[in-house]
Amino acid sequence: MANKAQQPPHLHLAEVTASQFLDIWKHFDADGNGYIEGKELENFFKELEMARRGAGVDPSNPIFREKMKEFMQKFDKNKDGRIEMSELAQILPTEENFLLCFREFVSSSAEFMAAWRRYDTDRSGYIEANELKGFLSDLLEKANRHYDDKKLQEYTQTILRMFDLNGDGKLGLSEMARLLPVQENFLLKFQGVKLTTEQFNAIFAFYDKDGNGYIDELELDALLRDLYQTNKKEVDVKNLTGYKESIMSLSDGGKLYRGELEIVLCREPIV
């Protein structure tokens, strides 16, 4: 949690590194819930304006409010009234910041999931911290992105600081997916429709008719449609196809096992 007595770090810099970016994030995401929102958001915008203008600002001034509204219209890509990690990466002046690297070289969440699956070999929804370096290296190479071992080490350590909050040496899929651009992070689409273990078991059993422990793409399509209708959410066919493709990237030869689907529909991110 941020120390409110501290000066906001690094906002004055011409560009920030991956580790400096994390310092900024942790300072303003004071409650550690994965978003800069409410009073945190007002404080962030106030400090950002002060750093850029070199002078004080008055949050009660209508001009300040109007500027903040314009700022959110520009950067709050999913229009939820708060800033998340991938949106902050577009706001701050970065070097070849690893968050922007992700935006450039991961063209879809399906690619991200395919890379993830190579390392989550036991299908637990986690990769070991010592495998993270290889995971990041894979993604960078896929993008033909030049990097040296020092930079890769910085990215690895920064991500560990972000996500291995309990120090158990494991990183969860839900947490890592926060590095994706908002529009590509299909896991975010299921916020608010997370199932309890009991609910998940019931819905999986309904679609796994023969009880063999997996479902195929057609069954997943029907399951997702049912889930959306149950939660009174509109089904956008284009988006549904994208979500389905992303989830099927976790499958084994077209067989989506219970564990993979549970990661998406059940497991809450640890924040």
Side-chain angles (χ1 to χ4, degrees):
M1 187 173 288
N3 179 352
K4 293 182 193 246
Q6 290 177 340
Q7 277 294 102
H10 315 306
L11 287 181
H12 63 287
L13 296 177
E15 57 183 23
V16 295
T17 65
S19 56
Q20 288 168 340
F21 177 92
L22 180 59
D23 290 340
I24 294 168
W25 176 264
K26 289 194 167 182
H27 181 91
F28 288 104
D29 179 22
D31 59 6
N33 72 343
Y35 299 94
I36 299 175
E37 57 187 343
K39 191 67 178 174
E40 296 169 341
L41 183 58
E42 183 179 299
N43 288 340
F44 170 71
F45 186 67
K46 181 180 75 172
E47 300 294 349
L48 187 64
E49 281 286 282
M50 287 173 64
R52 290 177 174 177
R53 292 172 53 187
V57 294
D58 177 9
S60 64
N61 189 313
I63 295 174
F64 174 88
R65 293 286 166 190
E66 187 59 34
K67 280 189 172 183
M68 187 169 168
K69 184 179 175 184
E70 290 171 4
F71 171 84
M72 290 300 288
Q73 285 173 344
K74 182 176 180 181
F75 293 109
D76 181 20
K77 301 298 183 186
N78 61 348
K79 310 299 180 192
D80 65 353
R82 52 192 184 176
I83 294 295
E84 49 202 81
M85 197 174 285
S86 57
E87 290 169 334
L88 184 62
Q90 293 209 344
I91 296 166
L92 297 177
T94 59
E95 46 159 29
E96 77 312 354
N97 183 309
F98 73 112
L99 285 164
L100 291 184
C101 286
F102 263 69
R103 182 166 288 101
E104 289 171 20
F105 61 65
V106 182
S107 63
S108 71
S109 54
E111 279 186 16
F112 175 85
M113 300 291 275
W116 175 274
R117 195 184 185 289
R118 284 198 293 278
Y119 289 93
D120 181 20
T121 51
D122 61 358
R123 301 178 184 142
S124 66
Y126 298 94
I127 58 173
E128 303 296 318
N130 60 5
E131 295 174 328
L132 175 62
K133 194 170 181 180
F135 173 72
L136 295 176
S137 179
D138 253 19
L139 290 173
L140 286 161
E141 284 175 9
K142 187 175 181 63
N144 297 315
R145 182 89 184 192
H146 174 73
Y147 64 93
D148 56 27
D149 195 64
K150 182 181 176 185
K151 187 55 64 177
L152 183 61
Q153 189 63 31
E154 182 194 349
Y155 293 166
T156 304
Q157 290 305 312
T158 300
I159 290 174
L160 281 174
R161 284 176 60 205
M162 279 183 187
F163 299 127
D164 188 19
L165 300 183
N166 61 2
D168 68 353
K170 294 179 180 178
L171 296 175
L173 173 64
S174 297
E175 290 82 10
M176 282 287 289
R178 283 165 56 193
L179 292 170
L180 289 166
V182 172
Q183 63 273 25
E184 278 298 336
N185 187 350
F186 77 100
L187 287 170
L188 289 175
K189 313 304 179 187
F190 292 98
Q191 286 183 348
V193 297
K194 290 285 182 184
L195 303 174
T196 64
T197 302
E198 293 75 19
Q199 288 170 328
F200 174 79
N201 287 339
I203 198 170
F204 192 88
F206 179 80
Y207 286 98
D208 179 22
K209 301 289 188 189
D210 54 7
N212 58 10
Y214 63 83
I215 60 176
D216 61 24
E217 189 168 346
L218 285 175
E219 291 165 331
L220 176 62
D221 186 282
L223 185 154
L224 292 178
R225 287 174 186 274
D226 274 3
L227 190 61
Y228 265 64
Q229 286 164 7
T230 301
N231 287 273
K232 298 181 172 59
K233 290 179 177 282
E234 270 188 48
V235 179
D236 182 311
V237 175
K238 183 181 175 185
N239 286 342
L240 189 67
T241 301
Y243 304 158
K244 191 169 57 178
E245 180 188 351
S246 297
I247 296 170
M248 287 306 293
S249 297
L250 287 173
S251 71
D252 183 3
K255 297 176 181 178
L256 185 67
Y257 286 89
R258 174 188 293 270
E260 280 92 9
L261 191 57
E262 188 176 13
I263 292 165
V264 177
L265 298 183
C266 255
R267 187 165 293 144
E268 291 286 1
I270 299 167
V271 292

